[in-house]
Amino acid sequence: MAKRECLLCHVTYDYCPYCEKDRNKPRWMVMLHDENCHNIFDALQRNYTHKDTDEVTIAKLKSCDLSVLEKSTEAVQNQVKEIFAKEIKEENKQEEP
């Protein structure tokens, strides 16, 4: 069994893609410990590479438990803040007459 650290929230977990116990688990578990962290990471990557718009990314992030970001890197936290700041700007534009 291999000890790993989640790239997003830094939780330590066991996962070995070659072991019988973990053979049928998703391969993204090499980097991320659960589906919530996977969904956040995927949303941020898709936004960074312009595969998803800010609006799509915001919707995806709102469906996740973002409390795990407290343990993430400053760069990740800043990326999330920047994305949500765009939502606030859009809301303010819509409110102006």
Side-chain angles (χ1 to χ4, degrees):
M1 189 56 60
K3 286 282 185 196
R4 299 182 183 275
E5 183 177 302
C6 181
L7 285 177
L8 195 68
C9 72
H10 304 288
V11 165
T12 303
Y13 63 103
D14 293 322
Y15 174 76
C16 174
Y18 307 108
C19 296
E20 185 64 34
K21 178 181 173 244
D22 295 334
R23 174 182 278 163
N24 294 322
K25 291 182 180 177
R27 293 289 180 192
W28 51 256
M29 287 191 73
V30 169
M31 300 185 313
L32 303 155
H33 86 284
D34 69 8
E35 192 169 359
N36 183 62
C37 284
H38 170 262
N39 291 342
I40 294 169
F41 187 83
D42 183 61
L44 295 176
Q45 288 291 76
R46 292 182 64 79
N47 182 267
Y48 182 77
T49 59
H50 306 290
K51 291 182 180 174
D52 283 346
T53 64
D54 293 330
E55 294 80 19
V56 169
T57 303
I58 289 167
K60 287 180 178 181
L61 290 174
K62 283 184 172 183
S63 70
C64 297
D65 174 11
L66 299 180
S67 67
V68 298
L69 296 178
E70 294 172 7
K71 297 178 184 176
S72 67
T73 64
E74 188 175 337
V76 170
Q77 291 175 11
N78 288 338
Q79 183 182 6
V80 172
K81 287 177 188 174
E82 288 174 16
I83 292 168
F84 278 111
K86 293 173 185 175
E87 176 188 42
I88 293 167
K89 287 179 185 176
E90 286 298 315
E91 288 175 358
N92 290 339
K93 283 182 185 178
Q94 292 174 2
E95 290 176 8
E96 293 176 4

